[in-house]
Amino acid sequence: MRVFTTLLMLLLPTGLFAASVSQNILEAHNSARSEVGAGPLVWSARAESQAAGWAQVLSKRCDIEHSRGSGFGENLFMGTMGYYDELDGVKSWENEKRDYRGQPLSRELIPRVGHYTQMVWPDTRELGCATATCNNLMILVCNYYPPGNYLGESAWQSPAQTCC
């Protein structure tokens, strides 16, 4: 599947996904969200377009850094083409759940769990992602609307927080 995805990425216009890739990304997000009782996301052409534009900027820099002022939440991933694919990026974000128990977000906590909490943020309803490449690296950008990760708020309630 990795080889097919990589070949498909090379054949499509930069940043655009085949429907199956966007569907797989959406399903992976919605699976993580269902585990914590968050409603499903829908694919957004507007969020995908924003992600594609930022992915192109990052491909020229061949580095990742967050955009500013887009009005979207954002997750970024960079990995070697042919070894990592889009779902590896999503899985890396989801793996941050090991450090999150539903507590309110703090400046200290966000660097360890912020990708995961953005994925499952309860008010978020739309997702759009895109990729770009540089030096045999794939850059994945996913945008979320409305954004999440507000300091002092929780992505979901832990059982201890819903009790008594």
Side-chain angles (χ1 to χ4, degrees):
M1 180 65 178
R2 287 181 203 269
V3 173
F4 175 74
T5 301
T6 301
L7 290 174
L8 190 56
M9 286 171 48
L10 295 173
L11 296 174
L12 290 172
T14 303
L16 299 179
F17 288 136
S20 62
V21 175
S22 58
Q23 185 62 35
N24 289 342
I25 291 171
L26 183 62
E27 287 173 6
H29 275 77
N30 285 336
S31 175
R33 292 173 66 81
S34 71
E35 289 177 8
V36 296
L41 300 175
V42 297
W43 194 262
S44 165
R46 186 173 62 111
E48 181 180 15
S49 176
Q50 173 66 30
W54 188 242
Q56 286 303 306
V57 169
L58 295 177
S59 73
K60 290 175 177 56
R61 298 176 184 172
C62 208
D63 196 7
I64 56 175
E65 68 179 79
H66 286 287
S67 64
R68 299 190 184 197
S70 71
F72 291 93
E74 183 177 79
N75 281 345
L76 306 172
F77 176 82
M78 180 185 275
T80 304
M81 297 241 348
Y83 185 75
Y84 293 103
D85 64 18
E86 299 84 5
L87 285 180
D88 290 314
V90 175
K91 288 175 194 169
S92 77
W93 303 331
E94 187 179 4
N95 285 339
E96 293 177 2
K97 72 182 173 185
R98 69 182 173 271
D99 292 327
Y100 189 69
R101 302 289 174 262
Q103 65 270 46
L105 294 176
S106 65
R107 291 190 191 285
E108 297 76 29
L109 188 58
I110 287 256
R112 294 193 331 263
V113 303
H115 299 101
Y116 170 69
T117 54
Q118 179 58 80
M119 286 178 68
V120 300
W121 199 260
D123 296 332
T124 299
R125 297 287 173 252
E126 299 175 17
L127 169 68
C129 304
T131 60
T133 61
C134 67
N135 297 338
N136 201 37
L137 297 170
M138 175 201 64
I139 298 170
L140 172 64
V141 178
C142 284
N143 283 159
Y144 304 83
Y145 188 84
N149 284 346
Y150 294 105
L151 294 178
E153 295 185 25
S154 300
W156 46 265
Q157 296 291 308
S158 68
Q161 291 173 310
T162 59
C163 175
C164 313

